[in-house]
Short mmCIF file of all heavy atoms in Angstrom, two decimals:
data_model
loop_
_atom_site.label_atom_id
_atom_site.label_comp_id
_atom_site.label_asym_id
_atom_site.label_seq_id
_atom_site.Cartn_x
_atom_site.Cartn_y
_atom_site.Cartn_z
N ALA A 1 128.67 276.09 82.63
CA ALA A 1 128.10 275.83 81.31
C ALA A 1 128.57 276.82 80.26
O ALA A 1 128.43 276.58 79.06
CB ALA A 1 126.58 275.85 81.38
N ASP A 2 129.13 277.97 80.69
CA ASP A 2 129.56 279.01 79.75
C ASP A 2 131.06 279.02 79.53
O ASP A 2 131.56 279.89 78.82
CB ASP A 2 129.12 280.38 80.26
CG ASP A 2 127.61 280.50 80.40
OD1 ASP A 2 126.91 279.90 79.57
OD2 ASP A 2 127.15 281.18 81.34
N ARG A 3 131.77 278.07 80.13
CA ARG A 3 133.24 278.10 80.05
C ARG A 3 133.77 277.49 78.77
O ARG A 3 134.97 277.52 78.53
CB ARG A 3 133.84 277.40 81.27
CG ARG A 3 133.62 278.20 82.54
CD ARG A 3 134.08 277.44 83.76
NE ARG A 3 133.63 278.10 84.99
CZ ARG A 3 133.60 277.52 86.18
NH1 ARG A 3 134.01 276.27 86.30
NH2 ARG A 3 133.17 278.19 87.23
N TYR A 4 132.92 276.90 77.96
CA TYR A 4 133.35 276.43 76.65
C TYR A 4 132.12 276.26 75.77
O TYR A 4 130.98 276.20 76.26
CB TYR A 4 134.13 275.12 76.75
CG TYR A 4 133.36 273.93 77.24
CD1 TYR A 4 132.68 273.11 76.36
CD2 TYR A 4 133.34 273.62 78.60
CE1 TYR A 4 131.99 272.00 76.81
CE2 TYR A 4 132.64 272.51 79.06
CZ TYR A 4 131.96 271.71 78.15
OH TYR A 4 131.28 270.61 78.61
N ALA A 5 132.34 276.19 74.48
CA ALA A 5 131.26 276.00 73.52
C ALA A 5 131.77 275.13 72.38
O ALA A 5 132.97 275.11 72.08
CB ALA A 5 130.76 277.34 72.99
N VAL A 6 130.85 274.43 71.71
CA VAL A 6 131.19 273.51 70.63
C VAL A 6 130.77 274.11 69.30
O VAL A 6 129.64 274.59 69.15
CB VAL A 6 130.51 272.14 70.84
CG1 VAL A 6 130.82 271.21 69.67
CG2 VAL A 6 130.96 271.52 72.16
N ALA A 7 131.69 274.11 68.34
CA ALA A 7 131.40 274.60 66.99
C ALA A 7 131.41 273.42 66.03
O ALA A 7 132.39 272.67 65.97
CB ALA A 7 132.43 275.64 66.57
N ASP A 8 130.33 273.26 65.26
CA ASP A 8 130.21 272.16 64.31
C ASP A 8 130.54 272.57 62.87
O ASP A 8 130.73 271.71 62.02
CB ASP A 8 128.79 271.57 64.34
CG ASP A 8 128.48 270.93 65.68
OD1 ASP A 8 129.29 270.11 66.14
OD2 ASP A 8 127.43 271.26 66.27
N THR A 9 130.57 273.88 62.62
CA THR A 9 130.81 274.38 61.26
C THR A 9 131.75 275.58 61.32
O THR A 9 131.91 276.20 62.39
CB THR A 9 129.49 274.84 60.61
OG1 THR A 9 128.94 275.94 61.37
CG2 THR A 9 128.47 273.70 60.56
N PRO A 10 132.36 275.96 60.18
CA PRO A 10 133.21 277.16 60.16
C PRO A 10 132.45 278.42 60.57
O PRO A 10 133.02 279.30 61.22
CB PRO A 10 133.68 277.23 58.71
CG PRO A 10 133.62 275.82 58.22
CD PRO A 10 132.43 275.21 58.92
N GLU A 11 131.17 278.50 60.21
CA GLU A 11 130.38 279.67 60.57
C GLU A 11 130.19 279.75 62.08
O GLU A 11 130.34 280.81 62.69
CB GLU A 11 129.02 279.63 59.86
CG GLU A 11 129.07 279.77 58.35
CD GLU A 11 129.56 278.50 57.65
OE1 GLU A 11 129.48 277.41 58.27
OE2 GLU A 11 130.02 278.60 56.50
N ALA A 12 129.84 278.61 62.69
CA ALA A 12 129.68 278.58 64.15
C ALA A 12 131.00 278.87 64.84
O ALA A 12 131.04 279.55 65.87
CB ALA A 12 129.12 277.23 64.58
N TYR A 13 132.09 278.37 64.28
CA TYR A 13 133.41 278.61 64.85
C TYR A 13 133.71 280.11 64.91
O TYR A 13 134.18 280.62 65.94
CB TYR A 13 134.46 277.88 64.02
CG TYR A 13 135.88 278.35 64.26
CD1 TYR A 13 136.56 277.98 65.42
CD2 TYR A 13 136.54 279.14 63.32
CE1 TYR A 13 137.87 278.40 65.63
CE2 TYR A 13 137.83 279.57 63.54
CZ TYR A 13 138.49 279.20 64.69
OH TYR A 13 139.78 279.63 64.90
N ALA A 14 133.43 280.82 63.82
CA ALA A 14 133.71 282.26 63.78
C ALA A 14 132.86 283.01 64.80
O ALA A 14 133.36 283.93 65.48
CB ALA A 14 133.45 282.80 62.37
N GLN A 15 131.59 282.63 64.93
CA GLN A 15 130.70 283.31 65.89
C GLN A 15 131.12 283.05 67.33
O GLN A 15 131.21 283.99 68.14
CB GLN A 15 129.26 282.84 65.67
CG GLN A 15 128.67 283.25 64.33
CD GLN A 15 127.29 282.67 64.10
OE1 GLN A 15 126.76 281.93 64.93
NE2 GLN A 15 126.68 283.02 62.97
N ILE A 16 131.41 281.80 67.65
CA ILE A 16 131.78 281.46 69.03
C ILE A 16 133.14 282.06 69.37
O ILE A 16 133.35 282.55 70.49
CB ILE A 16 131.79 279.93 69.21
CG1 ILE A 16 130.37 279.39 69.04
CG2 ILE A 16 132.33 279.56 70.59
CD1 ILE A 16 130.31 277.87 69.01
N LEU A 17 134.07 282.03 68.43
CA LEU A 17 135.40 282.61 68.67
C LEU A 17 135.28 284.09 69.01
O LEU A 17 135.92 284.58 69.96
CB LEU A 17 136.28 282.41 67.44
CG LEU A 17 137.74 282.85 67.60
CD1 LEU A 17 138.45 281.95 68.60
CD2 LEU A 17 138.45 282.81 66.25
N ALA A 18 134.46 284.80 68.26
CA ALA A 18 134.27 286.22 68.53
C ALA A 18 133.66 286.45 69.91
O ALA A 18 134.03 287.40 70.62
CB ALA A 18 133.39 286.84 67.45
N ARG A 19 132.73 285.59 70.30
CA ARG A 19 132.11 285.72 71.62
C ARG A 19 133.12 285.44 72.73
O ARG A 19 133.17 286.16 73.73
CB ARG A 19 130.92 284.77 71.72
CG ARG A 19 130.10 284.97 72.99
CD ARG A 19 128.84 284.15 72.98
NE ARG A 19 129.07 282.76 73.33
CZ ARG A 19 128.78 281.72 72.56
NH1 ARG A 19 128.25 281.92 71.37
NH2 ARG A 19 129.01 280.49 72.95
N MET A 20 133.92 284.41 72.58
CA MET A 20 134.91 284.07 73.59
C MET A 20 136.02 285.11 73.70
O MET A 20 136.61 285.30 74.77
CB MET A 20 135.53 282.70 73.29
CG MET A 20 134.60 281.52 73.53
SD MET A 20 134.25 281.28 75.30
CE MET A 20 133.20 279.82 75.23
N GLN A 21 136.29 285.80 72.61
CA GLN A 21 137.35 286.81 72.63
C GLN A 21 137.00 288.02 73.47
O GLN A 21 137.87 288.84 73.76
CB GLN A 21 137.70 287.22 71.19
CG GLN A 21 138.52 286.18 70.45
CD GLN A 21 138.74 286.51 69.00
OE1 GLN A 21 137.96 287.25 68.38
NE2 GLN A 21 139.80 285.97 68.42
N ARG A 22 135.75 288.11 73.90
CA ARG A 22 135.39 289.17 74.84
C ARG A 22 136.03 288.92 76.20
O ARG A 22 136.26 289.84 76.97
CB ARG A 22 133.87 289.24 74.99
CG ARG A 22 133.14 289.76 73.75
CD ARG A 22 131.64 289.87 74.00
NE ARG A 22 131.05 288.55 74.22
CZ ARG A 22 129.76 288.36 74.52
NH1 ARG A 22 128.96 289.40 74.67
NH2 ARG A 22 129.29 287.15 74.70
N TYR A 23 136.31 287.64 76.50
CA TYR A 23 136.94 287.28 77.77
C TYR A 23 138.44 287.02 77.60
O TYR A 23 139.24 287.38 78.46
CB TYR A 23 136.28 286.03 78.35
CG TYR A 23 134.78 286.09 78.41
CD1 TYR A 23 133.99 285.36 77.54
CD2 TYR A 23 134.14 286.90 79.35
CE1 TYR A 23 132.60 285.41 77.59
CE2 TYR A 23 132.74 286.96 79.41
CZ TYR A 23 131.99 286.21 78.53
OH TYR A 23 130.62 286.27 78.58
N ASP A 24 138.78 286.38 76.51
CA ASP A 24 140.16 285.96 76.29
C ASP A 24 140.52 286.29 74.84
O ASP A 24 139.88 285.79 73.91
CB ASP A 24 140.28 284.45 76.54
CG ASP A 24 141.70 283.95 76.51
OD1 ASP A 24 142.54 284.59 75.86
OD2 ASP A 24 141.98 282.91 77.13
N PRO A 25 141.55 287.12 74.61
CA PRO A 25 141.88 287.51 73.22
C PRO A 25 142.35 286.35 72.36
O PRO A 25 142.28 286.42 71.13
CB PRO A 25 143.00 288.54 73.41
CG PRO A 25 143.54 288.30 74.78
CD PRO A 25 142.39 287.80 75.60
N ALA A 26 142.82 285.28 72.98
CA ALA A 26 143.29 284.12 72.21
C ALA A 26 142.74 282.84 72.83
O ALA A 26 143.46 282.10 73.50
CB ALA A 26 144.81 284.08 72.16
N PRO A 27 141.44 282.55 72.65
CA PRO A 27 140.85 281.36 73.25
C PRO A 27 141.50 280.08 72.74
O PRO A 27 142.11 280.05 71.66
CB PRO A 27 139.38 281.44 72.81
CG PRO A 27 139.16 282.84 72.38
CD PRO A 27 140.47 283.31 71.86
N ILE A 28 141.36 279.02 73.51
CA ILE A 28 141.89 277.71 73.14
C ILE A 28 140.89 277.01 72.23
O ILE A 28 139.69 277.00 72.50
CB ILE A 28 142.15 276.87 74.40
CG1 ILE A 28 143.23 277.54 75.26
CG2 ILE A 28 142.55 275.45 74.04
CD1 ILE A 28 143.38 276.92 76.62
N VAL A 29 141.39 276.40 71.16
CA VAL A 29 140.55 275.66 70.21
C VAL A 29 141.12 274.25 70.10
O VAL A 29 142.29 274.06 69.75
CB VAL A 29 140.53 276.33 68.82
CG1 VAL A 29 139.63 275.54 67.87
CG2 VAL A 29 140.07 277.77 68.93
N GLN A 30 140.29 273.25 70.41
CA GLN A 30 140.73 271.85 70.40
C GLN A 30 139.68 270.97 69.73
O GLN A 30 138.50 271.32 69.69
CB GLN A 30 140.95 271.34 71.84
CG GLN A 30 142.04 272.03 72.60
CD GLN A 30 142.13 271.54 74.04
OE1 GLN A 30 141.17 270.98 74.58
NE2 GLN A 30 143.27 271.76 74.67
N ASP A 31 140.14 269.82 69.23
CA ASP A 31 139.20 268.81 68.75
C ASP A 31 138.27 268.41 69.88
O ASP A 31 138.70 268.28 71.03
CB ASP A 31 139.95 267.57 68.26
CG ASP A 31 140.55 267.75 66.87
OD1 ASP A 31 140.15 268.69 66.17
OD2 ASP A 31 141.43 266.94 66.51
N ARG A 32 137.01 268.19 69.55
CA ARG A 32 136.08 267.71 70.55
C ARG A 32 136.28 266.21 70.76
O ARG A 32 136.25 265.44 69.80
CB ARG A 32 134.64 268.00 70.15
CG ARG A 32 133.64 267.62 71.24
CD ARG A 32 132.22 267.78 70.77
NE ARG A 32 131.29 267.56 71.87
CZ ARG A 32 129.97 267.49 71.74
NH1 ARG A 32 129.43 267.63 70.55
NH2 ARG A 32 129.20 267.31 72.78
#
């Protein structure tokens, strides 16, 4: 359940990206 997250807004995108970068410096971002 923690291996991906969905961002609906630019603000959520920035928050989730920062969280994922703790594991991966360049996380994958794709259309849902």
Side-chain angles (χ1 to χ4, degrees):
D2 299 325
R3 290 174 191 163
Y4 65 89
V6 177
D8 295 309
T9 63
E11 293 75 21
Y13 164 75
Q15 294 175 358
I16 295 172
L17 185 67
R19 188 173 80 239
M20 288 291 182
Q21 284 174 336
R22 291 183 295 176
Y23 310 106
D24 187 335
I28 296 170
V29 181
Q30 297 176 339
D31 281 345
R32 185 186 187 188

